[in-house]
Amino acid sequence: MTSIHTDALIIGAGASGLFCAFETAAFGKSVLVIDHANKAGKKILMSGGGRCNFINQDIQPRHFISQNPHFVKSALSGYGYDDFMMLIDKHRISYHHKGHGQLFCDGSSKDILNMLLDECQQAGVQIELNTQVHRIDAMDEGFCVHISQHNNPKTIIAQHLVIATGGLSIPTMGASGFGYQVATQFGHQIVPTCASLVPLTFTDQTGDMIKSLSGISLDVIAFNDKISFELPMLLTHRGLSGPAILQLSNYWQLGEPIFINLLPSLDITRHLLDKKRTQPKALIRTLLAPFFAKKLLIALELHFWATIKDTEIANIKDDELIQLGNTLNAWQIKPSGTEGYRVAEVTRGGVDTKDVSGKTMESRLKPNLYFIGEVLDVTGWLGGYNFAWAWASGHACAQSIGTRW
């Protein structure tokens, strides 16, 4: 059986794995990256609608969710926006800014993947795809990893082992729970996982109404008792999506309600009460017509004020108007679930950070074992934050491996 020796073996040829690879190799270490997929960086290619939202200008610990909110601080302070932009400029990748500090490629996501692969090639990183991992054995100083490529068994002897296998989102791209299995093998706990940055679904009358309005987008405030996001919301044939809903999904648990302010710029109660005095013969739909698309307005009318839809506002009790205004500014709905890992951008939960060093990403339970990127219990907001974590955690790991004898 063929044996391969390397200073560092990285399992996972995604964003964090490739980034960690060339940064580790820059210290003169031999680095091998393996992946079961037939192409490197598949999720990079599909990110940002094919344009790759590769970073955010404002990266703060509050943009990340973890059972230990302090875990991300060291890595983020060690490698941030300015550092990554030097790499972007080096490769002359053209980009553009979108709202909320997001940066996207002018061309395509291939620009980012090619940048990572070029850096790996220049640093002498070896990348092996179509590689299956069958077993990992701990050695006194390092690991023996049993693999096969095209049914040919091999072993890899590595001093350092980096798990960069990502989470469970988008299984069609090859996502699996392999990283969690490795973590469990070496005594790590797994924070329960679920799909996140994901559309929410409904199975009640609300769901029927939303389905009938598929394709309509509007600016809302989506909120619960934990957080709020003022962003666009998209109604689809499956439920609610768009940035506001994807962001809120990071903070939502099954069985909990969410709230939607359908007109963030307007106190609807005050508006209706004022119009009752100044336009007493008007109908509610006439008074709200300037603020909603016609199709949406008709659906809202049938859903919220059908019994008084043809009643002049002067003949509607103040209490009813107050209730309607409060409802439209804080519409309470209870999702039945999410669209799941099939379309989720990330996985919430993962390897518990209590037994991982926030400075080096090294396991506290097994020396020379590292976890980086999405496999950890770190979930970023929508807007380039999960890539920011891939770069930062990969950098921290590389610095640790690279400076060791």
Side-chain angles (χ1 to χ4, degrees):
M1 184 182 297
T2 304
S3 286
I4 303 167
H5 291 257
T6 185
D7 292 329
L9 172 63
I10 299 174
I11 304 180
S16 64
L18 294 175
F19 188 87
C20 182
F22 68 76
E23 287 228 328
T24 302
F27 286 94
K29 303 288 185 179
S30 59
V31 180
L32 170 61
V33 179
I34 62 173
D35 199 299
H36 68 280
N38 60 355
K39 290 182 181 179
K42 282 188 173 183
K43 284 185 70 176
I44 297 175
L45 293 176
M46 67 171 293
S47 65
R51 293 287 180 103
C52 192
N53 179 194
F54 55 82
I55 198 76
N56 196 289
Q57 289 177 298
D58 180 28
I59 303 169
Q60 305 293 335
R62 66 183 179 85
H63 297 128
F64 299 86
I65 302 158
S66 174
Q67 283 196 347
N68 176 9
H70 300 290
F71 178 78
V72 300
K73 291 182 177 179
S74 179
L76 292 177
S77 65
Y79 193 91
Y81 170 79
D82 291 335
D83 301 297
F84 192 75
M85 293 309 294
M86 289 177 63
L87 195 59
I88 292 292
D89 292 340
K90 173 185 173 183
H91 287 261
R92 298 180 180 178
I93 295 175
S94 59
Y95 58 89
H96 57 275
H97 298 257
K98 285 193 176 180
H100 306 281
Q102 302 170 91
L103 271 66
F104 289 78
C105 295
D106 286 344
S108 76
S109 302
K110 288 182 181 179
D111 296 338
I112 299 299
L113 178 57
N114 289 338
M115 176 189 76
L116 298 174
L117 294 174
D118 288 347
E119 288 287 335
C120 283
Q121 183 178 26
Q122 292 170 24
V125 173
Q126 185 178 354
I127 300 174
E128 296 286 348
L129 304 173
N130 295 303
T131 301
Q132 304 297 321
V133 178
H134 300 290
R135 194 173 82 246
I136 299 175
D137 296 327
M139 302 168 62
D140 289 340
E141 292 189 9
F143 303 86
C144 178
V145 181
H146 300 262
I147 66 167
S148 64
Q149 293 173 315
H150 306 292
N151 296 320
N152 295 320
K154 298 179 182 179
T155 58
I156 303 172
I157 308 300
Q159 183 180 357
H160 304 274
L161 177 62
V162 181
I163 305 301
T165 50
L168 298 169
S169 55
I170 316 182
T172 55
M173 292 289 103
S176 74
F178 175 80
Y180 308 138
Q181 296 169 21
V182 176
T184 302
Q185 176 185 339
F186 291 101
H188 286 268
Q189 299 296 310
I190 306 299
V191 175
T193 59
C194 64
S196 207
L197 292 183
V198 63
L200 301 177
T201 58
F202 302 82
T203 55
D204 53 10
Q205 287 184 336
T206 299
D208 293 336
M209 182 187 76
I210 292 171
K211 184 177 181 179
S212 71
L213 299 170
S214 179
I216 291 177
S217 177
L218 66 160
D219 292 332
V220 303
I221 297 177
F223 63 99
N224 58 15
D225 59 358
K226 305 179 189 74
I227 200 164
S228 68
F229 294 98
E230 185 168 0
L231 290 165
M233 178 180 76
L234 176 66
L235 294 89
T236 77
H237 66 289
R238 294 181 181 274
L240 294 179
S241 187
I245 298 301
L246 298 184
Q247 292 283 39
L248 191 61
S249 73
N250 268 347
Y251 297 87
W252 177 78
Q253 300 285 349
L254 186 64
E256 294 178 349
I258 64 170
F259 299 85
I260 308 293
N261 183 344
L262 293 168
L263 281 179
S265 61
L266 183 70
D267 182 335
I268 300 177
T269 297
R270 177 53 50 200
H271 178 72
L272 293 176
L273 291 175
D274 287 346
K275 294 301 182 182
K276 184 175 180 178
R277 291 191 301 272
T278 61
Q279 295 178 241
K281 294 187 177 297
L283 303 179
I284 292 175
R285 63 173 171 270
T286 304
L287 299 174
L288 295 182
F291 308 107
F292 293 110
K294 184 177 180 180
K295 186 177 180 180
L296 175 59
L297 181 63
I298 293 172
L300 293 175
E301 179 179 73
L302 292 174
H303 198 72
F304 292 118
W305 69 92
T307 59
I308 53 173
K309 66 185 181 68
D310 295 319
T311 303
E312 293 178 352
I313 195 168
N315 297 320
I316 301 174
K317 294 179 180 179
D318 285 359
D319 286 349
E320 286 187 87
L321 296 177
I322 292 170
Q323 182 180 0
L324 176 59
N326 290 341
T327 298
L328 295 177
N329 277 140
W331 178 24
Q332 179 177 332
I333 49 179
K334 185 178 285 188
S336 60
T338 74
E339 288 198 41
Y341 291 117
R342 181 182 63 85
V343 297
E345 296 201 17
V346 293
T347 301
R348 193 167 72 215
V351 178
D352 196 327
T353 60
K354 69 180 180 181
D355 292 319
V356 179
S357 166
K359 293 183 178 179
T360 65
M361 303 296 123
E362 185 176 13
S363 167
R364 301 187 193 278
L365 306 179
K366 177 66 177 83
N368 297 340
L369 174 65
Y370 301 79
F371 299 93
I372 61 174
E374 191 183 343
V375 73
L376 286 160
D377 174 34
V378 175
T379 304
W381 286 11
L382 186 74
Y385 295 105
N386 288 291
F387 275 119
W389 176 244
W391 317 139
S393 61
H395 174 80
C397 177
Q399 294 296 306
S400 176
I401 296 174
T403 54
R404 301 217 181 154
W405 293 100

